[in-house]
Each structure stands twice: as structure tokens, then as C-alpha cells.
Amino acid sequence: MSTTTIERIQRRFEGGTVPMLTKRVRQLLSIVLFLGLWSALVRFGVLGFDTFVGPETTLAALLEALSGTAMTEGGETIYEHAAFSAFRVLVAVTIAVLVAIPLGLTIGTSRRWEDALFPALEVFRPVPPVAWVPIALLLLPTFRSGVIFVVFVGAFFPILINTIEGVKTVEAEYVQAAASLGAGSRDIFRHVIVPATLPSIVTGVSLGVGLAWITVVAAEMIAGGVGIGYIIFQAYRLLQTEVIAVGMIAIGFLGYVSAAAVHRTGHYLTRWQETN
Amino acid sequence: MSKHDDPTDDASTAEPAPDTTGKTGAIALDNLNKTYDPEGEHVVAVEDMDLDVAAEEFVALLGPSGCGKSTVLECIAGYLEPTEGEVVVDGTPVTDPDPKRGVVFQENRLFPWKTIKENVEFGPRMHEGVEEGRAESILDEMGLDGFEDAYPSELSGGMQQRAELARLLANDPAIMLMDEPFSALDALTKEIMQKKLLEVWERDNRTVLFITHDVEEAILLADRVAIMTARPGQIKDVIDVDIDRPRDPEVVTTDRFTELRERALSVIREEAERALEQEDGA
Ligand SMILES: Nc1ncnc2c1ncn2[C@@H]1O[C@H](COP(=O)(O)OP(=O)(O)O)[C@@H](O)[C@H]1O
Ligand SMILES: [Mg+2]
């Protein structure tokens, strides 16, 4: 292919056919395209999609759910299910943050603690969080704390690993500078190690929150009793495909909102960074 | 002025200083050796180096890049442990960093997560406590008023270097160890910084060890210029700079300055030739 052809194609994409579209319009277009594709897949029965609902029916079901209609035989509304899932994520992530950050800082700064704790943690790290469900059910018989434990496991490792990594990559120059200004090891920890590690911690928490949502849905499908994961799975058993779609939208929305909240908080806490 | 020489400050400084004038900040390098051994290699960076810097003296350490200047400075700062020999400051061998020995590098090491004011107040906060308004007046002197609440990343390179100098001065060290602090600056900013440094030093009389590879800068600033050999570093020659103070950048046009520069350059040339021959022989 000659360069002129490539240039012509590039121009078509970049400036030719959609030259005047603003960012907002293009973003809207992406959603419209997605809905169109979904609708077409269902209408023409591509793969098994003819058994699934289209966007129009889903929208109706979504509006009905949002109006406060009970979603499952328990009588809970979508708000209550969403609140349950969000509560589990919030509690689990909070505990994970409170445990993993101090632990990561300790392991990262102390060779001795690293040797004592890290190998054991490394053994558990590759175990997918959902594999903890049976143990959680046996040890914590109330389903609520069981799910929270599993979500905690999901959020814990990314925060821990990123915190450790962050401590280990703190530049020695800053530690030296602090020492030359009269800082002792406590001051160096507080004024250098912790703030220098913060960007890594923020990354860890972002990943942890993402994993927490994945884990909460999976755990609720197995053992939830209530929550968005639970209604998605109930709906599957009852073949209420529009409810499955509504549940997925709800999870997507909650995940998006929480990721944005973490991103904003993290951005604020590390506002001194050049890349901001 | 307190220069961390207050006997109540730190028990370890209670030893008598050998300097009979009562001044502090004397540095003695005693047969200093430093080798690096990164995987399999054996790099002798500094070999059998002796140098005495008197309290309140301004000494420039001049040498080609890679000759071991930074290594010497980091040994004095207490960041590196000598392989052999020792660094003695006011009669006490150096083992660790100390606020008495302040350090400035070419690349600023301001804490990026602290504002300029927090950076400047960091040192005082670590020991005697922060004196209200002091950071502001030092920043003002460095031409940084209005940038107290800025983060280092928001400042230009020249301003960062001034902030670094402000942080050092706020900590009131007896010794200032400066490793090519102005080499990354443009000519104009560099001249302003040199002037500032001279002003501050002539007023406070701290000991300064100033590393540079710029002959004119060395002569302009220092009482004595110590010229290093190519690696492994040793002192090749020491030139006394007998130019009156206060000096300002105009002295570079005087005859005496030109003479001293020629002398320094001839030592450097001789050394460069020797280094080349050595390479050919090897
Ligand atoms: N950490 C290190 N590991 C190995 N070699 C090093 C290290 N630091 C410096 N060197 C080597 O030691 C020599 C002196 O370096 P340095 O003191 O930085 O010189 P200068 O400051 O005069 O440019 C150089 O050859 C350099 O490559
Ligand atoms: Mg150097």
C-alpha cells in the first residue's frame, strides 16, 4: 500500500468524515453504537442472543426497578440490593486498606518483617478470592460477614503488593536529604517513606476497589442472599433476562462511581506530582 | 549564631574541637579510599586522598567528570562509607549524615510532596523547632516570596535550586557540601546564584566545599581551589586564590584572575595528557 493511500485513510478517520464532532458527541456516539449492536445481536439471534432481552425491554425493566419495585421474592428493591453490595465493598475495602497499608509499609521497610511475613502471603496471593467462599461459609456462618471476608481478600493483595513495591522504590536521595537535615528514622518514615509511597498506595487501592466489585458479585452469586450479584444469579435461574441486564447495568454504574471517587481522592492526595 | 555547635544540642558533639579559634566546620580527609564493586567490576573511585579544609574556609574541588568528586562529597556527607581511611569533621570521624553538614546537589532533592515553605522549615522542625517568619525571610532573600505554598514541581529549575539553597540555609549548617549545584542552570541564573552564594557565605562564614568542573566558577568563589587527578581521584594541586573579597562576577576580567585561571588550566591539561597516556599504555 502506498503512503498516499495510508495518508488518505488517516485523513478520513481523523479529519475527513467526522471532522466537526466534539468530544461529547463522539462519546454519545459510542453509546449509541453499543446499543445498536446489542439490539441487532438480539434481533438476528447471533450466538444465543435471541434468548436475551434487547435494550428497549431492558430500559423498561430498568425504569421499573428504579421506581422501587421489589426485584426478588425477598421483597428488596434495587436500591436495597445495591446498598448491600456497596456496603460489603465499602467495609471490605476499608478493612483491607487499614490492614494492607500498615502491613505493606512494615514489610517494605524491614527486612526482618519481610522474611517473617511475606513468604506466607505469597502462598495465598495466587488463590483467586472466590476460592475462599467455601472456607468463608464454614468459618463465618452468617452470609453477610462471609461475603465481606471474601471481598476483603480480593481487595487486600493489590493494596499490599503496591504498598510494598512503593516503599522499595522510594529514592534513596530523599532519605539522605532528610537525614542531612536532621531527621531521625521515625521522621524519615513519616515525612519521606509514607508520602513517597502514596502514589503506589493509590494505585493499589484503585486496583483493590475494582477487584472488590468483581469479587462481591461472584461471592453474592454463590452465597449472597441479597445484593446485586444475588439478583443477577436469581434472575438467571428464573430466566428473567431483563433483570440480569438491569443487574449488570447497576454493577457497572456502582463500579464506575466508586472508581471515580477513588481516582479523585487519590488525585487530591498526590496533587504534588508533576504528572497531575 | 547557632551552628549546631551548642553543647546541649547533641551529646556526640561534646568532644573538644581541635580548632583553637573556636570556629566549627573543619574537614579533614585522611587517606580516603573508596572503591565500588558492582557485579564483578572493581572501580577505584578515590585513592589515598588527603585534604584539609579549615573551618569557615571556602574550598572548590575541581576535576574532570568521573574523577570521583561526588564520591568524596558523599563520604563527607556520611552517605558512603570509605573503603579505607576516614573523614574527620571537627575532630570526630564521620559515620552518618548530620544536620551540621548540609548538602546540595545539581539535581534538586526538595521533597516533591511538601510545599516550598514546608521544605524550608523541614530542618528546623527536626530539631530546635520552627521560628515563625524565618522561612519567609529566607525565601524572600532568595527571591522566592510568593512561592511559599507552591510545590517544587511548579517551579523552574533555577527557582528549585534557590529553594534548595534556602532549605539548606534555614537549617544553619556549619558546613555546606555543594555538588555542582549550578551546572544545570543557564548562564544568567548561574551568575545570580553565584552572587547569592558569595553574599550569604561572606556574611555567615560557613565552611563550603564546592564541587565543580568549571575553572572560572572555582576561582570566582573559592579561597583555595583543589584540583583532582583523573580517576582514581587524588589531589593533584591546590591553588590559593588571593583575590580580595567581597568579590563579584566582574573579577573574572582582572589580570590576577586570568593568571590563576591559566595556572589551573595548565594543571588540568597536564593531568588530561597523563590520563590519555595512561589509557594508551593500558
Ligand atoms: N554506585 C556506583 N557503582 C559503581 N561505580 C560508581 C558508582 N558511583 C560512581 N561510580 C564510578 O566512580 C567514579 C567516580 O564517580 P563520581 O564520584 O560520581 O565522579 P564525579 O562526581 O567526579 O563525576 C566514576 O567512574 C563512576 O562511574
Ligand atoms: Mg559528580
Side-chain angles (χ1 to χ4, degrees), chain B residues 97-227:
Chain B
D98 190 289
K100 188 171 160 176
R101 286 170 267 125
V103 189
V104 176
F105 287 92
Q106 179 182 332
E107 305 300 331
N108 86 82
R109 293 178 178 190
L110 295 164
F111 304 124
W113 47 86
K114 289 185 183 291
T115 63
I116 296 303
K117 186 176 169 210
E118 287 167 348
N119 265 287
V120 172
E121 287 181 342
F122 183 82
R125 232 175 112 184
M126 293 300 113
H127 22 100
E128 69 263 29
V130 176
E131 190 186 317
E132 209 41 61
R134 178 128 182 280
E136 281 84 352
S137 76
I138 293 176
L139 284 170
D140 203 31
E141 189 184 3
M142 288 291 140
L144 285 171
D145 50 323
F147 290 95
E148 289 84 359
D149 298 325
Y151 286 101
S153 63
E154 298 172 271
L155 268 55
S156 70
M159 289 161 88
Q160 288 173 350
Q161 219 49 355
R162 271 183 275 161
E164 178 99 286
L165 194 52
R167 179 170 77 170
L168 186 75
L169 294 174
N171 209 35
D172 208 10
I175 297 172
M176 298 188 3
L177 303 169
M178 310 182 82
D179 191 350
E180 310 200 19
F182 309 145
S183 354
L185 305 178
D186 62 85
L188 190 65
T189 314
K190 187 173 178 168
E191 195 181 302
I192 294 170
M193 292 297 291
Q194 290 167 340
K195 228 173 149 167
K196 265 269 143 5
L197 176 64
L198 279 178
E199 227 174 270
V200 166
W201 179 77
E202 277 155 10
R203 185 189 62 206
D204 295 346
N205 287 324
R206 303 168 203 279
T207 309
V208 177
L209 184 68
F210 189 100
I211 289 179
T212 180
H213 57 244
D214 176 343
V215 180
E216 301 211 341
E217 182 173 54
I219 299 172
L220 168 66
L221 297 175
D223 295 326
R224 287 191 299 148
V225 178
I227 304 173

